[in-house]
């Protein structure tokens, strides 16, 4: 795939519409996208230079999303993440004091105990102690050289991640409550570190890693009373920044509450729907935006790199609300 199809995914266009923008025939666009015809048209109408025709390599994006998410939204999110890694990597290489990448691919844990241990070890990579709440998770992940960008292609996509030419990128929906935002970051960090393709276990492993990263098992067990109530879980949320639903699930997962108690707590939580008590705002990323700013702003960066300025701007707008 080349930049033409990537542009269509970002703009939600079909081949006929792109052909009209480029003033060529639809069959020619189709052939150029497939690589059966060389691209000889001027790409300036779509905001890219000829040097950007080739796309950077990208690992298979892994998502935290609902099953009903349409393919169109997924493709758009994929290309935003690819562009983020492309721009971030080039700016990082020319900007002094930009954090170096501290995370790397590791073998997938083969047991639950190994997964819990990896989560604790990852805290060290994030320059945090093995115990205690990680109050500034967003900043810690960016200090580890991860590119964080907002993705609002569809409200059903909480987050997605990929390695783009060696740059770890996490795209995350900025409109989530703070507790869900933090879990999404931990979830996608797991994908970056030890998942290469989706399996039946992928999402459960990423969820457990995120919970263990934010609330290590020893801390969690020590904090739980013998028969925890919903109020106890709300208090844990206020201290540890992890959702009540996630803590209740984790307590059941490690057999600190039985099936009957778990169902009872779920019934009690149903009254909250999506609005749990002890709500707090998400802490959004700043590193990508700072790199853009110190290199002259969106327009200067886009012109120098030969990329579409409006596409780059979407990657800096954490306050944007997408109506679906």
């Amino acid at each position: 795939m080349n930049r033409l199809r990537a542009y269509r995914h970002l703009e939600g266009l079909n081949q006929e519409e792109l052909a009209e923008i480029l003033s060529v025939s639809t069959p020619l666009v189709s052939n150029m996208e497939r690589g059966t015809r060389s691209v000889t048209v001027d790409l300036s109408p779509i905001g890219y230079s000829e040097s950007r025709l080739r796309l950077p390599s990208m690992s298979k994006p892994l998502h935290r999303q609902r099953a009903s998410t349409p393919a169109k939204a997924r493709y758009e999110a994929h290309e935003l993440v690819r562009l983020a890694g492309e721009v971030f990597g080039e700016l990082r290489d020319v900007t002094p004091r930009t954090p170096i990448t501290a995370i790397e691919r590791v073998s997938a844990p083969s047991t639950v105990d190994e997964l819990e241990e990896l989560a604790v070890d990852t805290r060290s990579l994030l320059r945090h102690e093995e115990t205690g709440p990680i109050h500034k998770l967003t900043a810690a992940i960016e200090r580890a050289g991860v590119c964080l960008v907002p993705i609002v292609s569809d409200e059903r996509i909480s987050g997605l991640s990929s390695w783009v030419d060696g740059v770890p990128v996490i795209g995350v929906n900025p409109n989530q409550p703070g507790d869900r935002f933090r879990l999404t970051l931990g979830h996608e960090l797991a994908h970056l570190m030890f998942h290469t393709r989706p399996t039946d276990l992928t999402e459960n492993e990423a969820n457990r890693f995120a919970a263990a990263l934010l609330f290590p098992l020893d801390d969690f067990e020590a904090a739980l009373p013998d028969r925890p109530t919903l109020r106890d879980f709300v208090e844990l949320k206020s201290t540890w920044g992890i959702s009540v639903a996630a803590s209740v699930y984790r307590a059941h997962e490690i057999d600190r509450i039985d099936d009957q108690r778990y169902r009872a707590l779920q019934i009690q939580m149903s009254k909250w729907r999506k609005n749990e008590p002890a709500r707090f705002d998400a802490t959004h990323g700043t590193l990508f935006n700072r790199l853009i700013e110190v290199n002259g702003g969106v327009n200067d960066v886009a012109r120098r790199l030969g990329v579409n300025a409006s596409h780059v701007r979407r990657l800096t707008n954490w306050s944007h609300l997408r109506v679906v």
Side-chain angles (χ1 to χ4, degrees):
M1 186 177 82
N2 58 31
R3 187 71 62 177
L4 296 181
R5 186 176 298 176
Y7 178 83
R8 286 202 299 107
H9 288 328
L10 286 170
E11 294 291 330
L13 302 176
N14 58 36
Q15 290 182 339
E16 183 178 0
E17 291 167 328
L18 178 57
E20 184 175 350
I21 292 173
L22 296 175
S23 300
V24 298
S25 69
T26 301
L28 179 57
V29 167
S30 178
N31 289 333
M32 288 190 296
E33 285 189 2
R34 293 201 308 269
T36 57
R37 286 283 300 274
S38 60
V39 177
T40 57
V41 298
D42 178 14
L43 298 184
S44 61
I46 64 173
Y48 287 91
S49 69
E50 292 181 5
S51 64
R52 293 293 162 180
L53 179 63
R54 177 184 172 276
L55 295 174
S57 64
M58 180 183 192
S59 65
K60 184 175 180 60
L62 297 175
H63 300 76
R64 192 177 191 209
Q65 64 176 21
R66 298 180 202 167
S68 60
T69 306
K72 179 180 178 180
R74 294 198 306 271
Y75 294 150
E76 179 185 353
H78 293 179
E79 293 311 321
L80 284 170
V81 163
R82 192 198 304 267
L83 180 63
E86 185 177 11
V87 173
F88 181 94
E90 295 193 25
L91 294 182
R92 178 193 60 187
D93 292 344
V94 299
T95 308
R97 296 186 296 278
T98 302
I100 62 173
T101 303
I103 68 166
E104 58 184 17
R105 292 280 201 187
V106 298
S107 299
S110 58
T111 66
V112 169
D113 288 343
E114 286 184 8
L115 190 150
E116 296 272 352
E117 290 173 6
L118 177 59
V120 172
D121 291 344
T122 301
R123 286 174 149 243
S124 297
L125 294 178
L126 301 182
R127 303 180 193 175
H128 198 280
E129 294 82 4
E130 291 185 358
T131 63
I134 304 179
H135 294 299
K136 297 181 179 180
L137 180 65
T138 301
I141 289 177
E142 290 191 319
R143 282 197 304 271
V146 179
C147 172
L148 300 183
V149 289
I151 299 293
V152 289
S153 302
D154 191 288
E155 64 179 2
R156 287 163 288 194
I157 298 177
S158 298
L160 72 161
S161 54
S162 179
W163 289 86
V164 181
D165 269 356
V167 175
V169 184
I170 295 177
V172 59
N173 188 327
N175 303 319
Q176 303 173 78
D179 55 292
R180 285 189 57 82
F181 189 92
R182 284 162 56 83
L183 280 171
T184 296
L185 290 181
H187 182 104
E188 296 303 329
L189 192 59
H191 287 330
L192 286 173
M193 293 180 65
F194 56 86
H195 288 145
T196 57
R197 59 183 178 84
T199 69
D200 292 340
L201 300 176
T202 300
E203 293 302 290
N204 285 338
E205 288 176 344
N207 284 336
R208 182 141 191 172
F209 176 90
L213 178 73
L214 294 172
F215 207 162
L217 185 57
D218 289 345
D219 286 336
F220 186 66
E221 291 187 318
L224 277 181
D226 291 338
R227 186 174 172 79
T229 66
L230 205 55
R231 179 173 294 182
D232 293 322
F233 286 108
V234 172
E235 290 177 359
L236 291 178
K237 176 179 177 177
S238 297
T239 302
W240 291 85
I242 186 170
S243 70
V244 174
S247 290
V248 169
Y249 183 86
R250 185 154 168 76
H252 181 248
E253 193 173 39
I254 64 172
D255 296 324
R256 286 297 298 270
I257 57 176
D258 59 23
D259 292 346
Q260 183 178 1
R261 183 64 181 153
Y262 179 58
R263 287 193 295 270
L265 289 170
Q266 284 187 311
I267 291 171
Q268 293 178 55
M269 288 188 296
S270 65
K271 63 187 177 184
W272 296 335
R273 298 183 182 274
K274 294 183 179 181
N275 296 310
E276 287 188 356
R279 182 186 174 97
F280 59 94
D281 292 335
T283 301
H284 297 153
T286 61
L287 178 57
F288 185 86
N289 289 41
R290 290 203 307 271
L291 282 177
I292 295 291
E293 291 169 5
V294 301
N295 283 282
V298 170
N299 290 334
D300 281 353
V301 166
R303 182 170 56 253
R304 189 162 70 250
L305 298 186
V307 296
N308 185 297
S310 66
H311 292 169
V312 176
R313 192 168 290 109
R314 288 166 63 180
L315 296 169
T316 66
N317 190 358
W318 285 95
S319 63
H320 181 64
L321 299 177
R322 177 75 169 259
V323 179
V324 180

